[in-house]
């Protein structure tokens, strides 16, 4: 069976890289013609510590061998095979295929998928939150089963972790999840199955149907209206589709998952649309008044001077460059605005009586097609630093995260260090610094790989 499976996989490997789980072996099929980024992703998913695509393609398999892998190169295919039986790991009998494409989606293992919103739909609740903050997965019945596991995007689809505990009414497993969207399945006596009590599921793109669970983080509430027959909430987060609310302890409620962002919403009471009476923040769009919900990080925009200006606004990529949406409040020394923005990278400018101004207090800028804007990273997760080069006039940053734009991000000069903070999604990134227009590798980063020009690129991984 294993030989047939390997032959089949070799025939299909030219189309895409794959991970194969078969009885007591984990097999990685690598097509050498695919990108290094995809191969690196596959190696990381397979858990091969220290092995990179660059090393693999050059015939250096030492890190994989040290990790217990057998490596065979066949024409354009490199096969990595590791036995799992010595670890007494639970491997399903039926071969289970995982395409590397699964891990290119926004739902990385252990990371919530970046969707705008989500509402669960169970015929019988089998996943719920505990008062401790943990999430409990429950498989009713199956008392005669030998072992039951839960496997999903939160544990790298592991067949080892997620060992459920047997109770008198079924099997339970508790795990700590961040708010977001998660895909999962149960493994009952080595057989994979979706959650039969969960009405939410989706195809992962390679023919596998997975159950979907949303870890909630927000609740819409509306007080009063005890005699209303039906109340719903609708907003820009779900293209104004109505979501039913339930009467609980004298209030109408709708718990759900909401990604950080700025949203418009309204309540619909027996067919009549109203704004949220408990929320004073409103906005008119298309001649309709709606309540405004801000989820994210608190940010302060400040412009010193311009005290003679009549009006000052801030506009940027966080509000689609709306020039009249965000007015600043005048102070004795200038203008100020407190606002809430979701995590990410943004460009912005001030507008003082119609005059566009980059932020004088912010040295981080980005230039695209000759247009320079101030740059803001909200909740950044990586800091790029370059020591030395104190006599340089300008240091910029460019990489595959900004399409190698040579105008790049302008770094701030602090003492003997050039610095910029950026928010990056999990994954692999290539980059270089430009010192007065000259490309250089990051001297503080030993991880790099060769490029088509023979000059190399620095490499970072964001977890």
């Amino acid at each position: 069976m294993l030989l047939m499976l390997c032959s089949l996989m070799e025939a299909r490997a030219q189309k895409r890289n794959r991970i194969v789980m078969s009885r007591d072996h984990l097999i990685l099929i690598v097509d050498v013609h695919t990108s290094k980024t995809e191969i690196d992703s596959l190696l990381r998913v397979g858990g091969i510590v220290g092995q990179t695509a660059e090393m693999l393609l050059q015939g250096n398999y030492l890190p994989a061998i040290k990790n217990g892998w057998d490596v065979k190169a066949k024409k354009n295919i490199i096969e990595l095979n590791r036995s799992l039986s010595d670890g007494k790991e639970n491997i399903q009998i039926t071969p289970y295929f995982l395409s590397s494409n699964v891990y290119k989606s926004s739902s990385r293992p252990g990371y919530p998928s970046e969707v705008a919103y989500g509402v669960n739909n169970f015929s019988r609740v089998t996943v719920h939150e505990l008062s401790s903050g943990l999430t409990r997965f429950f498989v009713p019945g199956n008392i005669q089963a030998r072992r039951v596991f839960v496997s999903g995007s939160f544990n790298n689809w592991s067949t080892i972790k997620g060992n459920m505990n047997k109770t008198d009414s079924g099997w339970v497993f508790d795990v700590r999840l961040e708010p977001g969207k998660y895909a999962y399945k149960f493994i009952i006596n080595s057989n994979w199955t979706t959650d039969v009590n969960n009405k939410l599921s989706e195809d992962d793109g390679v023919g596998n149907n997975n159950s979907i669970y949303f870890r909630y983080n927000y609740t819409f509430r509306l007080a009063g209206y005890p005699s209303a027959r039906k109340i719903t909430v609708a907003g820009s987060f779900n293209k104004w589709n109505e979501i039913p609310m339930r009467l609980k302890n004298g209030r109408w409620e709708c718990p759900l998952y909401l990604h950080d962002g700025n949203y418009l919403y309204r309540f619909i009471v027996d067919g009549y649309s109203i704004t949220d009476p408990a929320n004073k923040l409103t906005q008119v769009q298309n001649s309709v008044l709606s309540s405004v919900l801000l989820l994210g990080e608190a940010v302060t925009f400040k412009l010193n001077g311009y005290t003679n200006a009549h009006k000052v606004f801030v506009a940027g990529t966080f509000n689609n460059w709306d020039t009249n949406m965000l007015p600043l409040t005048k102070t004795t020394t200038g203008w100020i605005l407190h606002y809430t923005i979701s995590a990410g990278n943004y460009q912005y400018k001030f507008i003082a009586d119609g005059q566009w101004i980059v932020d004088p207090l912010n040295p981080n800028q980005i230039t695209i097609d000759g247009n320079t804007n101030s740059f803001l990273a909200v909740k950044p997760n990586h800091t790029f630093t370059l020591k030395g080069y104190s006599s340089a006039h300008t240091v910029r940053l460019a990489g595959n995260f900004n399409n190698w734009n040579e105008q790049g991000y302008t770094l701030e000069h602090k003492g003997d260090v050039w610095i910029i903070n950026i928010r990056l999604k999990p994954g692999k990134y290539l980059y270089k610094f430009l010192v007065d227009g000259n490309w250089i590798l990051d001297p503080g980063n030993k991880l790099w790989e060769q490029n088509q020009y023979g000059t190399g690129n620095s490499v970072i991984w964001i977890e």
Side-chain angles (χ1 to χ4, degrees), residues 75-285:
K75 295 183 179 180
N76 297 324
I77 299 299
I78 301 176
E79 178 184 298
L80 300 93
N81 188 316
R82 182 169 74 90
S83 173
L84 300 176
S85 58
D86 55 355
K88 298 181 180 180
E89 298 162 290
N90 177 62
I91 303 301
Q92 61 277 16
I93 294 176
T94 303
Y96 184 67
F97 295 86
L98 290 175
S99 166
S100 62
N101 293 332
V102 174
Y103 299 96
K104 291 181 180 179
S105 71
S106 57
S107 181
R108 285 188 72 250
Y111 292 86
S113 186
E114 291 192 5
V115 294
Y117 87 106
V119 179
N120 294 312
N121 188 3
F122 290 93
S123 57
R124 175 182 179 181
V125 177
T126 49
V127 187
H128 67 279
E129 306 307 316
L130 304 176
S131 58
S132 62
L134 298 176
T135 300
R136 171 162 292 178
F137 288 83
F138 175 55
V139 177
N142 292 278
I143 301 301
Q144 303 303 318
R146 297 186 306 276
R147 285 183 296 183
V148 178
F149 289 75
V150 60
S151 179
S153 56
F154 48 83
N155 66 0
N156 202 10
W157 292 100
S158 172
T159 57
I160 315 166
K161 303 174 183 178
N163 189 5
M164 305 186 78
N165 297 313
K166 189 176 182 179
T167 69
D168 58 352
S169 57
W171 301 76
V172 298
F173 177 78
D174 299 339
V175 62
R176 187 173 300 278
L177 299 180
E178 295 296 322
K181 174 186 175 182
Y182 297 92
Y184 71 97
K185 276 184 174 178
F186 296 122
I187 310 173
I188 303 175
N189 285 341
S190 300
N191 296 314
W192 291 77
T193 176
T194 55
D195 186 344
V196 296
N197 294 289
N198 188 346
K199 296 182 180 181
L200 288 184
S201 65
E202 68 178 30
D203 190 284
D204 62 5
V206 290
N208 296 311
N209 197 43
N210 300 318
S211 297
I212 300 297
Y213 175 72
F214 291 98
R215 172 71 157 87
Y216 290 167
N217 64 339
Y218 189 80
T219 300
F220 285 102
R221 293 183 173 90
L222 177 63
Y225 302 95
S227 60
R229 297 187 302 274
K230 179 182 179 182
I231 296 183
T232 60
V233 61
S236 57
F237 54 85
N238 70 342
K239 298 181 180 179
W240 297 96
N241 293 312
E242 296 183 30
I243 305 175
M245 302 182 70
R246 295 182 179 180
L247 187 61
K248 182 178 179 181
N249 299 325
R251 289 190 304 182
W252 294 85
E253 295 186 350
C254 176
L256 75 169
Y257 166 72
L258 268 183
H259 192 281
D260 282 355
N262 303 332
Y263 304 107
L264 302 179
Y265 70 98
R266 295 178 63 83
F267 296 120
I268 299 90
V269 181
D270 289 337
Y272 182 71
S273 179
I274 64 170
T275 56
D276 186 349
N279 183 1
K280 295 181 179 179
L281 191 59
T282 59
Q283 181 180 331
V284 176
Q285 187 177 77

Side-chain angles (χ1 to χ4, degrees), residues 341-356:
I341 304 177
S342 60
N345 300 316
Y346 302 97
Q347 302 174 49
Y348 71 97
K349 275 183 177 176
F350 294 114
I351 311 165
D353 288 344
Q355 178 187 357
W356 291 82

